[in-house]
Amino acid sequence: MNLLPVLLAAAAISLPAQEAALGARVHGLLPMGDLRTLTGHQIGLGLAAFVDIPVGRGLVLRPAVGAQHIPKGDALGLGGTQTRVTSVDLMVEALWFPNEDADHGPYLIGAVGGQQWRLSSTGISPATLSYTRIGISGGLGYQLSPRLGFEARGFWSPITPAITATGLMAGATVRF
């Protein structure tokens, strides 16, 4: 995974005619459903690095590598057990700007990609489990300036047949 940011940077450098831009996102996570139960209602944090690649009027593709962390919380229904959830993901996001101006205004966002989930439990029955699954997310954003944007989205990923990761994300993006 350490090679991926270098590849994203190389992609941005090799696409100057398409006005590619490197960027970063920081976001908060509000887990719902199974994740909320596993972590005892803990709120998580995440970051991502991305490359914005304009591909048409009002359409931007954004390959992104990111990580999320939900701290240890008491697993509901399992006394004495605490669970921490982390993920590393490689996503391809599509942004659509209805006003065809990728530097200002609202946009819709959709993403699909692979996620490596890690569930670590301590207490009565300690365990660490890792799963690689597909994940999707979608939502709304607003590009305040050519460099600063804000996003809100929902996410979904089936970690195991018994555990599905769902929740809301809200954060800010910065283009360099």
Side-chain angles (χ1 to χ4, degrees):
M1 275 312 215
N2 293 336
L3 182 60
L4 197 52
V6 174
L7 293 175
L8 288 173
I13 292 169
S14 68
L15 297 169
Q18 295 180 341
E19 300 175 14
L22 289 174
R25 176 179 61 238
V26 63
H27 55 269
L29 295 164
L30 180 60
M32 302 179 124
D34 298 334
L35 282 186
R36 184 176 177 170
T37 302
L38 278 174
T39 61
H41 305 276
Q42 294 291 323
I43 294 174
L45 294 172
L47 347 141
F50 59 83
V51 178
D52 272 356
I53 305 169
V55 293
R57 296 182 63 163
L59 185 61
V60 175
L61 288 182
R62 181 190 279 174
V65 60
Q68 284 69 235
H69 175 78
I70 304 170
K72 282 185 183 177
D74 294 329
L76 302 177
L78 298 172
T81 299
Q82 291 192 324
T83 303
R84 176 181 64 231
V85 177
T86 58
S87 75
V88 175
D89 51 66
L90 176 59
M91 307 292 275
V92 176
E93 303 173 346
L95 286 66
W96 177 62
F97 292 82
N99 65 357
E100 297 182 359
D101 181 2
D103 289 335
H104 297 93
Y107 58 92
L108 296 175
I109 187 167
V112 64
Q115 294 184 293
Q116 174 69 41
W117 291 95
R118 184 178 175 103
L119 289 74
S120 302
S121 297
T122 60
I124 296 172
S125 56
T128 299
L129 305 170
S130 293
Y131 302 95
T132 302
R133 300 291 187 256
I134 193 165
I136 61 172
S137 68
L140 303 169
Y142 191 86
Q143 195 65 37
L144 191 61
S145 71
R147 294 196 183 273
L148 181 63
F150 297 96
E151 296 179 355
R153 60 171 98 180
F155 65 91
W156 174 88
S157 180
I159 299 174
T160 70
I163 302 170
T164 300
T166 57
L168 301 173
M169 297 167 46
T173 62
V174 177
R175 291 186 203 158
F176 304 110

